[in-house]
Amino acid sequence: MGIEDSRLIGSFTRGTMTGPLKQDSDADVMVVLDADKHRDWIEQENGPTNALRAIKRRIENDPRFSQTEVRVDQNVVQVKYHDSTIEIAPAFRYSEVPHADHPRDGFNLFNDASDGYAIPDTHGQQSWQGTNPREYKQMFEARDQAHNGRVSGLTRAMKTWADRNNVPVRSYHMETMVYNYFEEKARRGEPVPSSYNELTREFMRTLPNRVHGKAKEPVYNESVDKGMGQEDRNAAAKKAKKASEKLEEAKRLKDQGKTEEAMEKLKEVHGKDFN
């Protein structure tokens, strides 16, 4: 298999991973394929799926991965070890895929996809979709720095909440919703709460609507929630609403001077180790 490059991407590189790797968490690796050697995957009608299946077979046939579970999960190949999971995203350089979908409508000099990559989009019609993890990382870090680390901090808190409560929202989806919350605040000229309790409470209040809406990443305005069904949206929104009510109750208790009761209510949302 012709591979030009591979790089670690995802939450690990942006400081939004919620803890050490474990079976239900993942590290993301993008494998950049040689377009000349794999031109058929670019041109075939089912090229994205064929690329994913070929990588899956390659891993399954490698004795080094004999103790892992390997499967295709949407646009990645998931390799699950007993204590961690690696997700491998095949990609071509965007300029090598002439018919790749440009995530934004129309041509935009400030969002040119040519310096990015094309990854599989297997939701509905088969296609290659533009993405640029490098530029997104730079944008995320700049906004996080502007808010003294609160973007990554809130992202980790919300991912942890989702993980502990079996909320059916994927990690990158949650991160995107948090990023967009801060972007909206900046665009409207609204202040961001200075305390994490107030910040979490305000974001959680908006989360049901965010889950039911469309979450789009900031580089190309690409939807990151295409594979989320209505049942999962309803379940996630319901859990977010319940958590929001508990956070509001915690605030009322604290305002009444009932600090211990308020802390117990916060622990119902954030876990028993919260302090």
Side-chain angles (χ1 to χ4, degrees):
M1 182 173 291
I3 296 176
E4 287 189 357
D5 190 17
S6 63
R7 59 185 61 203
L8 191 64
I9 59 174
S11 59
F12 183 84
T13 67
R14 296 186 295 273
T16 59
M17 183 171 281
T18 57
L21 280 176
K22 56 184 185 296
Q23 190 174 34
D24 292 331
S25 65
D26 59 76
D28 305 300
V29 178
M30 184 171 67
V31 176
V32 183
L33 302 170
D34 187 321
D36 292 330
K37 292 183 178 179
H38 300 293
R39 183 67 56 184
D40 51 343
W41 292 339
I42 295 175
E43 298 175 348
Q44 290 170 346
E45 182 178 354
N46 295 325
T49 293
N50 291 339
L52 290 164
R53 289 174 177 171
I55 291 173
K56 176 178 179 288
R57 288 194 299 271
R58 179 70 175 267
I59 294 171
E60 288 175 328
N61 292 331
D62 190 324
R64 293 175 297 177
F65 299 96
S66 60
Q67 301 301 312
T68 65
E69 176 188 346
V70 185
R71 68 187 186 96
V72 174
D73 182 19
Q74 297 186 19
N75 65 338
V76 298
V77 176
Q78 191 178 80
V79 183
K80 184 169 289 190
Y81 295 83
H82 73 281
D83 59 352
S84 62
T85 298
I86 306 296
E87 291 190 345
I88 301 170
F92 291 102
R93 299 191 187 281
Y94 187 88
S95 58
E96 297 283 358
V97 186
H99 57 277
D101 294 338
H102 193 296
R104 286 195 183 273
D105 295 330
F107 181 72
N108 187 325
L109 286 173
F110 299 101
N111 291 284
D112 183 9
S114 62
D115 66 339
Y117 301 90
I119 60 174
D121 182 2
T122 58
H123 300 293
Q125 186 176 357
Q126 296 273 325
S127 65
W128 291 94
Q129 175 75 62
T131 189
N132 196 326
R134 179 176 56 248
E135 185 171 347
Y136 171 64
K137 181 175 182 290
Q138 293 172 349
M139 293 174 68
F140 185 95
E141 290 176 344
R143 194 167 296 280
D144 192 40
Q145 185 176 10
H147 290 284
N148 299 315
R150 280 177 286 175
V151 183
S152 57
L154 181 60
T155 299
R156 289 191 297 270
M158 294 309 304
K159 286 183 178 182
T160 300
W161 167 76
D163 184 48
R164 285 175 173 165
N165 292 278
N166 297 315
V167 181
V169 174
R170 294 172 71 90
S171 174
Y172 184 49
H173 184 185
M174 182 64 79
E175 180 175 311
T176 301
M177 290 189 288
V178 171
Y179 179 95
N180 289 343
Y181 162 82
F182 282 90
E183 188 278 330
E184 291 161 11
K185 285 285 191 181
R187 178 159 35 89
R188 296 168 183 166
E190 298 174 355
V192 173
S194 57
S195 75
Y196 269 105
N197 281 347
E198 186 179 353
L199 179 61
T200 305
R201 186 171 62 252
E202 184 173 287
F203 176 78
M204 190 72 80
R205 193 184 306 134
T206 73
L207 190 54
N209 286 337
R210 293 182 187 279
V211 168
H212 280 302
K214 291 294 183 184
K216 297 185 177 183
E217 56 81 35
V219 181
Y220 299 137
N221 210 29
E222 174 190 358
S223 294
V224 302
D225 56 350
K226 293 179 182 178
M228 190 177 191
Q230 192 59 49
E231 184 177 346
D232 283 345
R233 291 182 190 274
N234 291 340
K238 183 177 180 180
K239 291 188 176 186
K241 184 175 184 295
K242 184 176 180 180
S244 178
E245 291 169 351
K246 289 182 178 181
L247 293 175
E248 296 293 347
E249 177 63 17
K251 182 180 184 302
R252 285 192 291 270
L253 290 168
K254 183 179 179 181
D255 290 344
Q256 294 169 6
K258 301 176 180 179
T259 55
E260 291 185 5
E261 292 94 329
M263 180 57 70
E264 289 303 313
K265 192 62 65 173
L266 288 172
K267 287 183 177 181
E268 289 181 21
V269 176
H270 297 296
K272 63 181 180 180
D273 296 329
F274 180 80
N275 55 47

